[in-house]
Amino acid sequence: MPLSDPRFIALESWLATILCTNHHLELISGDASFRRYFRVHTETGSYIAMDSPPELTPVQPFIDLAAEYQRQGLLAPQVIEQHLQQGFLLLSDLGDTQLLSCLDRTSCQKFYAQAIDLLLPIMGVTSSNQMALPLYDEQFVARELTIFTEWLLAEHLNLALSASEQQMLDTTFALLTANALEQPTAGMHRDYHSRNLMVQSQQLAVIDFQDAVIGPVTYDAVSLLRDCYTRCPDEVREQMMLRHYQLLVDNQYLSIDTSFAQYQRWFDLMGMQRHIKAAGIFCRLNYRDHKPAYMADIPMTLSYIIEVAAKYSELSAFGEWVEQKVLVNFEAQQ
């Protein structure tokens, strides 16, 4: 890192005071936020250092939720040292093998099944530091859907919506919002996908959980099975949806009277809502946060919207519009 980077200099200084051995830092990622992560190599092992500017992303939620996840029996980073004022954490090192890199035709069923089963303890995390997690409510959903309109349609594509297009968008967003709010709720990771699950000795560890909320029971499953970064084979996705549905029924998150058809509609429309949001966030990461790599993930994200919308008559017009106007214009610009 450049010597002019004041946060890196401060991080190095803090680590020197808490580590009793020589060390050097390797930047391993900046995620889809203002945080950065470094692997700290020492003579006796390695750690992960989190650099999270406290005025932008305080570290206390991560500390509290890490403790809650561990209490639920989940493999999650252990907080070894902390500097709340600076926004620095020293964490246990869960390795650098993301689930994304391990998925292939022979392994995906095993790993997806394990990831679905981990949703049960995750659903049990509904509070942090004795405070209830935020609710994924109507205002929350509205804020997320607005990201699509502001950043993909307006900022990137410079689309001026006609009155009929705006009406279609309003109707679609109202339908997706109602779908989210009518589902039973549980603890929700909110970013549960192949880049936030680490593989350690064939077991999955969970990271990037600091934005957890209480929300719809299908949200995390659809994040995993309709991942923006890799496509789960259709037949495996169907099997895993059945596995998740049965998990919810067996553990009384869903009534035994809730049909799989109802669950599937909740799942499909929840996925549409999430992908609409994700497409907007990928543009925001490019324009606001100067992280252009996420733009490459937009075509698959839009393709999910088109694919699912075609299954529901009330969404077919929206899906056709996304295909013919949004995706076409996006691809022309790229």
Side-chain angles (χ1 to χ4, degrees):
M1 302 298 296
L3 293 178
S4 59
D5 182 340
R7 289 198 60 82
F8 180 75
I9 294 169
L11 177 62
E12 276 276 41
S13 176
W14 177 66
L15 290 172
T17 67
I18 62 174
L19 294 174
C20 301
T21 181
N22 293 329
H23 71 274
H24 70 275
L25 271 61
E26 170 195 4
L27 179 65
I28 55 174
S29 80
D31 63 10
S33 73
F34 297 100
R35 292 179 293 269
R36 294 186 297 182
Y37 296 89
F38 299 86
R39 178 160 282 113
V40 185
H41 298 277
T42 75
E43 296 168 353
T44 57
S46 64
Y47 305 93
I48 299 297
M50 180 196 291
D51 167 21
S52 184
E55 70 280 8
L56 299 173
T57 49
V59 296
Q60 192 65 56
F62 182 95
I63 296 169
D64 296 338
L65 280 158
E68 293 293 340
Y69 271 44
Q70 287 159 7
R71 272 193 281 274
Q72 288 288 335
L74 291 155
L75 183 57
Q78 178 185 355
V79 179
I80 299 167
E81 296 284 352
Q82 57 187 270
H83 192 316
L84 296 181
Q85 290 75 25
Q86 285 275 25
F88 298 149
L89 296 180
L90 187 67
L91 309 171
S92 58
D93 188 351
L94 296 175
D96 56 7
T97 306
Q98 294 176 331
L99 176 59
L100 179 63
S101 68
C102 298
L103 293 171
D104 56 36
R105 282 282 174 179
T106 57
S107 70
C108 68
Q109 187 160 15
K110 175 189 71 173
F111 280 125
Y112 278 126
Q114 189 181 148
I116 288 293
D117 292 348
L118 286 182
L119 288 178
L120 183 59
I122 287 172
M123 288 189 293
V125 178
T126 57
S127 64
S128 174
N129 196 20
Q130 301 182 327
M131 297 286 290
L133 295 182
L135 289 177
Y136 191 79
D137 57 15
E138 184 174 1
Q139 290 72 32
F140 208 130
V141 178
R143 286 196 302 271
E144 291 194 335
L145 290 170
T146 300
I147 298 169
F148 174 82
T149 308
E150 291 182 354
W151 291 95
L152 178 57
L153 301 187
E155 180 69 28
H156 183 64
L157 298 179
N158 196 27
L159 286 181
L161 299 180
S162 67
S164 61
E165 288 174 326
Q166 186 62 60
Q167 179 61 49
M168 177 190 62
L169 213 60
D170 292 344
T171 301
T172 299
F173 287 3
L175 177 63
L176 297 178
T177 302
N179 175 75
L181 299 181
E182 72 186 22
Q183 296 182 45
T185 60
M188 192 175 101
H189 179 288
R190 200 155 76 87
D191 215 7
Y192 194 73
H193 56 68
S194 62
R195 289 182 175 175
N196 285 336
L197 292 167
M198 310 302 291
V199 180
Q200 279 204 327
S201 302
Q202 300 299 302
Q203 297 299 307
L204 296 181
V206 185
I207 63 172
D208 208 14
F209 41 71
Q210 59 278 339
D211 296 322
V213 296
I214 297 172
V217 292
T218 62
Y219 191 100
D220 282 343
V222 83
S223 301
L224 175 73
L225 300 176
R226 289 196 184 273
D227 193 329
C228 294
Y229 309 114
T230 185
R231 187 176 178 103
C232 176
D234 291 350
E235 66 276 12
V236 175
R237 186 182 66 252
E238 293 296 329
Q239 292 170 18
M240 293 303 114
M241 288 173 65
L242 282 166
R243 187 184 188 98
H244 184 238
Y245 167 75
Q246 198 59 53
L247 181 94
L248 295 175
V249 172
D250 290 347
N251 291 278
Q252 300 181 326
Y253 284 100
L254 286 184
S255 161
I256 58 173
D257 297 328
T258 304
S259 67
F260 180 72
Q262 175 65 78
Y263 165 88
Q264 187 165 33
R265 178 183 170 85
W266 281 339
F267 179 97
D268 283 346
L269 271 60
M270 193 77 256
M272 279 192 64
Q273 188 273 330
R274 187 175 191 278
H275 293 125
I276 289 168
K277 175 201 74 169
I281 284 178
F282 292 155
C283 282
R284 188 174 71 183
L285 285 165
N286 176 47
Y287 289 102
R288 189 191 71 181
D289 304 334
H290 312 294
K291 297 179 178 180
Y294 289 93
M295 296 295 284
D297 299 309
I298 290 177
M300 184 164 73
T301 304
L302 294 178
S303 74
Y304 283 142
I305 296 170
I306 295 161
E307 177 184 330
V308 172
K311 296 169 58 178
Y312 297 93
S313 59
E314 63 268 49
L315 291 167
S316 60
F318 174 71
E320 291 168 4
W321 177 78
V322 170
E323 182 174 23
Q324 296 167 11
K325 193 158 189 179
V326 180
L327 182 58
V328 166
N329 277 281
F330 181 85
E331 289 177 338
Q333 287 204 16
Q334 298 307 102

